Amino acid sequence: MSAIAICAAAGSAAVLLPGTAKTQPQGLQVSEFKLANGLEVVVIPDRRTPVVTHMVWYRIGSADETPGKSGLAHFLEHLMFKGTEKNPAGRFSTVVATIGGQENAFTSQDYTAYFQRVTKENLEQVMTFEADRMTGLRLTDEVVLPEREVVIEERRTRTDNDPAAQLAEALSAALYVNHPYGRPIIGWMHEIRQLSRENALDFYKRFYTPNNAVLILAGDIDDKEARELAEKIYGKVPRVAEVAPRARPVEPEPRAHRRMSLTDQRVQQPSMSRYYLVPSYRTATGNEAEALEILSHVLGGGQTSRLYSALVVEKGVAANAGSWYQGTALDATRFGVYASPRPGTTLEALEAALDEVIEQVAKNGVEAEEVERVKTRIIASTIFSQDNQTTLARIYGAALTTGLTAASVKEWPAKIRSVTPAEVQAAAKNWLDLRRAVTGYLLRPQQASPEKRT
C-alpha cells in the first residue's frame, strides 16, 4: 500500500503524496486560505481540461463515534443524500447526473468526504448544493429507517458474506485493544440495527460545521476564482458547533503476539495475514514513517520484493506474498504482511518462511542500491499520480484531516529521499516485532487448525 491509504466504508484505495515544486506538473501552484467561518480551502490548479473536482472533507470518522454506536459516521454519509428543505431528496444527484458529472462519498476511521467532478461552468451549482447540506440536512424516519436497511445489506454483502473481510475485521479488533480503530468503519451489525434518526442528527449537529471541514478544489480554477466562489457560497454557512480537539483512547504498548484462525467453506485459497501496530505519519518521529513506507516496498512491493522473491520464486512455497503500510492515520496505525501457500505447503511452514525474511532484514539490513531503487519507484509513482486531479484532491484532503499539513504533503518526497538503509533496518527491528502483531489464518473446514507458534 502506498504513502497515503484512503479507507472507504467497505475497503481502501491507495494514493501517493505529490512531489515538491521540482516534480510537480508545470504551473501546479497549490494555495490555501481560510474563511471567516473556519472553513479551510485548498486550491490545486490544473488547466488541461475545463473540469473541476470539488470535495468537502469533514474531520470526523468512525473512530470519533460514541461507543455503542459504531457505523454512525458511515450511516450519516448515506443520509446526507436524503435532502434539505431547499433541495429535496434526489435533486442534488439528479442535477449532477443531468449535467454529466460524477459524485460519490466515502467514510474512513478519521474523515468523511463528499465529492463531485463537473465541468467548470457547473461548479458553482454543485458548490451551492454541498454548502446547503453542510448544515441544512432534514431527516424523517420514513427515509432513515429504509436507509438503515441498505447499510445492513451492505455489511452483509461486503463483510458477513466474505470470509477474508471477516478475518480482516477480526484482526483489526484484536490489534486495537483500547483504541476505536478496532471498530469496523461500517459498524458492528447489532449496533447498526439500533441506529436512529436522533443518533444521526445529533452526530450531524456536533460535527458537520464549516470550522470542522476542508474544501478542496482541483482542476480548471485558480486561487482568485476559488476565493470568490468560496466566499460567495460557503462564506454564508454559519458555524453551528465548536468542535473540540479529537481526544481518543491511547493504545497501550503491546506485549503479546495474538493469533487467530477463521474457517469457512467458502474459502477458495487459504492465506495468512498479519498486522503490526506501528506509528503513522502524524505520530512518528524523525523519518520513522518514511522508513516504514520504504520497508513496505522492500519487503512486499511487487515481484522484485524480498517476500515475493524468497517465498514465490526461490522457495516456491507461496502463490503470492506482499506487505503494505497504512501511513495516513491520526493515531497509531497498521503495517501488514500477507501470503497464500502453494498446494502442499502448510500455513505454518509459509509463516515460518515469511518470518525468516523479516528477520533477515531486521538483523542484516538492506542494501543501499535496493533502497535507492525503491525510492525511485515511489517517487516516480508519485509523479504519475499527479496526472489525475481527483487523486490530487484526495491526497490533500486525507492529509489535512489526519493531522498533516499542505506543507508536509509537499515535503514528503524529500523526506523519502533522505531515508537511509540504517533507518529502514531500524524500522524492521523496532516495529516488526511479533509482540506488536496479530496473525490470522484463513482456512477451509477440512484443513487442520494451525499449530501454536510464538
Side-chain angles (χ1 to χ4, degrees):
M1 190 170 290
S2 51
I4 285 191
I6 296 179
C7 297
S12 62
V15 295
L16 288 168
L17 288 163
T20 60
K22 291 182 179 179
T23 61
Q24 290 177 344
Q26 186 174 3
L28 179 60
Q29 298 296 325
V30 177
S31 61
E32 306 172 76
F33 58 90
K34 182 180 287 190
L35 302 185
N37 59 10
L39 179 69
E40 294 182 40
V41 185
V42 176
V43 186
I44 311 169
D46 179 359
R47 297 293 196 177
R48 290 174 294 180
T49 57
V51 174
V52 180
T53 296
H54 166 259
M55 306 188 82
V56 173
W57 298 67
Y58 293 93
R59 290 184 175 92
I60 184 68
S62 63
D64 302 296
E65 297 160 344
T66 302
K69 293 182 172 59
S70 65
L72 186 53
H74 173 248
F75 184 37
L76 180 57
E77 176 211 312
H78 278 239
L79 296 176
M80 284 289 284
F81 291 86
K82 297 306 176 182
T84 66
E85 185 175 342
K86 292 180 180 178
N87 298 294
R91 184 180 176 192
F92 191 174
S93 295
T94 299
V95 169
V96 172
T98 300
I99 62 179
Q102 301 169 344
E103 68 165 347
N104 214 327
F106 47 87
T107 306
S108 85
Q109 296 165 325
D110 296 312
Y111 50 76
T112 307
Y114 305 83
F115 72 91
Q116 302 83 36
R117 190 167 186 262
V118 296
T119 56
K120 184 178 181 179
E121 63 190 19
N122 293 301
L123 174 61
E124 183 172 348
Q125 186 175 25
V126 297
M127 289 178 73
T128 302
F129 276 119
E130 197 68 75
D132 176 42
R133 70 175 174 181
M134 181 174 280
T135 58
L137 184 65
R138 296 291 182 268
L139 296 176
T140 64
D141 282 345
E142 285 73 21
V143 298
V144 170
L145 299 183
E147 196 63 33
R148 187 175 65 188
E149 293 304 311
V150 171
V151 175
I152 287 171
E153 183 59 28
E154 181 181 340
R155 179 184 164 89
R156 184 179 293 118
T157 301
R158 296 185 176 183
T159 304
D160 297 348
N161 290 337
D162 183 345
Q166 291 177 39
L167 180 61
E169 185 176 84
L171 287 169
S172 289
L175 184 69
Y176 292 101
V177 300
N178 192 47
H179 193 281
Y181 282 171
R183 296 195 297 254
I185 293 169
I186 198 168
W188 300 114
M189 180 67 88
H190 67 286
E191 293 185 347
I192 298 172
R193 294 185 188 279
Q194 302 301 316
L195 296 178
S196 67
R197 179 179 69 90
E198 291 76 14
N199 296 153
L201 284 174
D202 287 347
F203 197 75
Y204 174 72
K205 291 173 182 177
R206 284 176 61 196
F207 297 112
Y208 278 61
T209 178
N211 45 305
N212 196 40
V214 180
L215 168 65
I216 311 286
L217 294 169
D220 189 15
I221 190 168
D222 60 28
D223 182 79
K224 182 176 182 295
E225 295 169 311
R227 286 177 185 270
E228 290 175 354
L229 282 174
E231 289 284 3
K232 176 182 177 180
I233 299 167
Y234 285 100
K236 299 176 182 178
V237 180
R239 297 167 70 114
V240 295
E242 296 302 322
V243 181
R246 290 191 273 189
R248 297 167 174 173
V250 176
E251 189 65 20
E253 189 67 12
R255 297 179 178 177
H257 181 203
R258 287 136 288 170
R259 178 178 295 281
M260 64 181 63
S261 63
L262 189 150
T263 303
D264 194 294
Q265 187 64 49
R266 293 168 294 184
V267 173
Q268 298 298 313
Q269 171 65 58
S271 63
M272 65 148 294
S273 300
R274 179 184 296 156
Y275 296 170
Y276 295 91
L277 185 69
V278 300
S280 66
Y281 276 98
R282 190 190 75 85
T283 63
T285 58
N287 281 346
E288 281 181 331
E290 290 77 13
L292 283 165
E293 184 69 51
I294 291 174
L295 176 62
S296 73
H297 286 262
V298 168
L299 277 178
Q303 296 185 2
T304 60
S305 67
R306 293 284 189 103
L307 287 172
Y308 194 95
S309 296
L311 275 57
V312 178
V313 178
E314 296 171 13
K315 296 183 178 179
V317 296
N320 74 319
S323 63
W324 50 268
Y325 171 53
Q326 187 181 330
T328 302
L330 193 68
D331 300 312
T333 189
R334 301 175 300 168
F335 187 108
V337 295
Y338 60 89
S340 297
R342 285 186 179 172
T345 301
T346 66
L347 287 175
E348 293 82 8
L350 180 64
E351 183 182 356
L354 181 145
D355 285 338
E356 183 180 347
V357 174
I358 295 173
E359 184 179 355
Q360 286 175 350
V361 172
K363 183 178 180 180
N364 302 321
V366 291
E367 299 294 332
E369 294 81 4
E370 185 178 19
V371 172
E372 290 305 314
R373 283 197 302 271
V374 166
K375 290 180 184 179
T376 299
R377 188 166 66 245
I378 291 174
I379 293 172
S381 296
T382 299
I383 295 170
F384 297 150
S385 74
Q386 296 175 65
D387 225 21
N388 186 307
Q389 64 180 224
T390 302
T391 298
L392 284 168
R394 289 167 71 98
I395 289 164
Y396 279 90
L400 291 171
T401 50
T402 55
L404 303 179
T405 65
S408 65
V409 172
K410 295 177 183 179
E411 294 164 0
W412 182 80
K415 292 200 70 177
I416 285 289
R417 291 188 187 98
S418 71
V419 173
T420 66
E423 288 174 321
V424 176
Q425 180 182 5
K429 184 176 181 180
N430 295 337
W431 300 111
L432 303 194
D433 183 328
L434 279 177
R435 290 172 296 184
R436 308 187 63 81
V438 54
T439 301
Y441 284 6
L442 190 62
L443 303 139
R444 289 192 288 264
Q446 61 269 31
Q447 293 174 311
S449 297
E451 299 174 2
K452 300 294 183 181
R453 298 178 62 245
T454 57

